[in-house]
Amino acid sequence: SSDLSCRLSTKIRSYMADQKDDKGITAVVPAYNEAERIGDVLEALVAYPHFQEIIVVDDGSVDGTETVVRNFPVRYVRNDKNCGKGHAMDRGVSLANGKIIFFCDADIRGLSVQVIDEIVRPVQTGEVDMFIGMRNRKWYFAHQILAFIPLLGGERAIAKALWQKLPDHYKQYFRIEAALNFYALYHGRGFQYKVFKGLSQVIKERKYGFWRGTKQRWGMIGDILGTQWRLHALDMPAAAKKNRRLSQFVYGFAYKAR
């Protein structure tokens, strides 16, 4: 199947990457049909002086994404077919030499050197395994009311070791961000987040048209909530299940905000 071929090729590249010198910070940008937007993102990434490398994973784009990316001093790789965001991120990590990965959506607006540095630094110092740059206040406030709703943000720095703990099931589609939150909390050194006022993103309804964008949004929400259920039902450590209280599950703040 197409999913199996995507996973196998990523595993081979991941093994090869592990044989290399594994230092520094790698930026990974998954992209699909982002010719109109990715240039501004790459300008910000290239300006940041502490990236060892920047990898753009083109997930089967059919527009001019490649042409735009080729104008920047970054590594460009392309999937022959669209494998989904999680697979694109996984391929980028498999090629990365850095111990820290900075993920960035190709359509983010308002990214700056200062924002990147604030996201990267807590992971670089070893304070946490992951830091999320939040841009969507609706998801943030929803999480404050109901902790089961995950914090979502494509701009995040993570320890590469955390990524390698995730089962392959979660490295697909829109499952990945909820899974990273969960594994950082229960299988790592935790995570922090901050809402950055200047960050924004083109909404799906504007990017793809109302009906197609709405369909994709609801598909994303269903994928995320299904992932949350699976994580809490199947991946929760036994000790955490035993000690967890309902109040902590519904109203508790397990993550540290800045």
Side-chain angles (χ1 to χ4, degrees):
S1 68
S2 60
D3 281 352
L4 179 60
S5 64
C6 286
R7 289 197 296 271
L8 288 175
S9 60
T10 296
K11 282 184 177 294
I12 294 171
R13 286 187 293 267
S14 182
Y15 173 80
M16 295 175 65
D18 286 342
Q19 312 309 308
K20 301 176 183 178
D21 184 26
D22 197 24
K23 298 178 181 179
I25 309 169
T26 297
V28 173
V29 186
Y32 178 64
N33 290 343
E34 295 291 356
E36 296 182 12
R37 293 163 286 270
I38 195 170
D40 291 340
V41 173
L42 293 180
E43 284 185 6
L45 295 179
V46 169
Y48 186 67
H50 302 300
F51 286 138
Q52 176 184 358
E53 58 189 348
I54 300 170
I55 301 173
V56 176
V57 182
D58 186 340
D59 195 28
S61 296
V62 294
D63 66 350
T65 295
E66 179 177 0
T67 301
V68 176
V69 175
R70 295 289 187 187
N71 291 320
F72 293 87
V74 304
R75 182 176 181 183
Y76 172 85
V77 295
R78 175 180 171 83
N79 293 334
D80 292 333
K81 51 192 170 185
N82 183 258
C83 292
K85 182 178 180 180
H87 277 304
M89 294 168 70
D90 196 30
R91 184 176 184 189
V93 175
S94 75
L95 297 170
N97 293 316
K99 287 185 177 179
I100 297 172
I101 309 296
F102 177 81
F103 288 116
C104 181
D105 285 342
D107 62 349
I108 192 68
R109 295 184 295 192
L111 189 67
S112 67
V113 169
Q114 291 74 22
V115 170
I116 295 171
D117 196 61
E118 196 166 347
I119 293 172
V120 167
R121 193 163 298 280
V123 180
Q124 192 174 32
T125 60
E127 187 176 352
V128 291
D129 273 346
M130 181 171 68
F131 193 98
I132 308 170
M134 295 285 296
R135 61 181 179 271
N136 192 326
R137 291 179 174 273
K138 293 180 181 178
W139 280 98
Y140 168 73
F141 287 122
H143 167 77
Q144 296 288 63
I145 297 171
L146 186 64
F148 185 74
I149 298 176
L151 290 166
L152 302 179
E155 289 59 60
R156 58 180 69 204
I158 73 166
K160 190 177 184 180
L162 174 65
W163 182 273
Q164 293 170 335
K165 292 179 182 179
L166 262 66
D168 287 342
H169 171 80
Y170 296 118
K171 297 175 182 178
Q172 301 180 56
Y173 309 112
F174 292 101
R175 304 168 190 169
I176 186 61
E177 292 176 2
L180 282 172
N181 296 356
F182 184 91
Y183 269 76
L185 181 62
Y186 291 106
H187 301 278
R189 289 177 294 181
F191 69 86
Q192 298 174 355
Y193 66 91
K194 177 180 176 178
V195 179
F196 290 93
K197 293 181 180 180
L199 288 183
S200 63
Q201 186 181 36
V202 180
I203 63 174
K204 295 182 183 300
E205 290 82 357
R206 182 173 298 173
K207 188 188 297 186
Y208 302 115
F210 178 78
W211 292 112
R212 182 185 173 193
T214 299
K215 181 180 179 181
Q216 289 196 12
R217 180 174 300 282
W218 282 106
M220 177 187 72
I221 292 172
D223 209 20
I224 291 167
L225 295 180
T227 298
Q228 280 290 85
W229 180 88
R230 179 185 173 109
L231 286 165
H232 285 84
L234 302 180
D235 292 69
M236 180 76 71
K241 282 185 178 180
K242 183 177 180 180
N243 297 327
R244 185 183 62 191
R245 298 177 180 177
L246 180 63
S247 60
Q248 292 174 324
F249 177 68
V250 178
Y251 298 107
F253 303 108
Y255 329 112
K256 182 179 179 182
R258 285 197 168 193

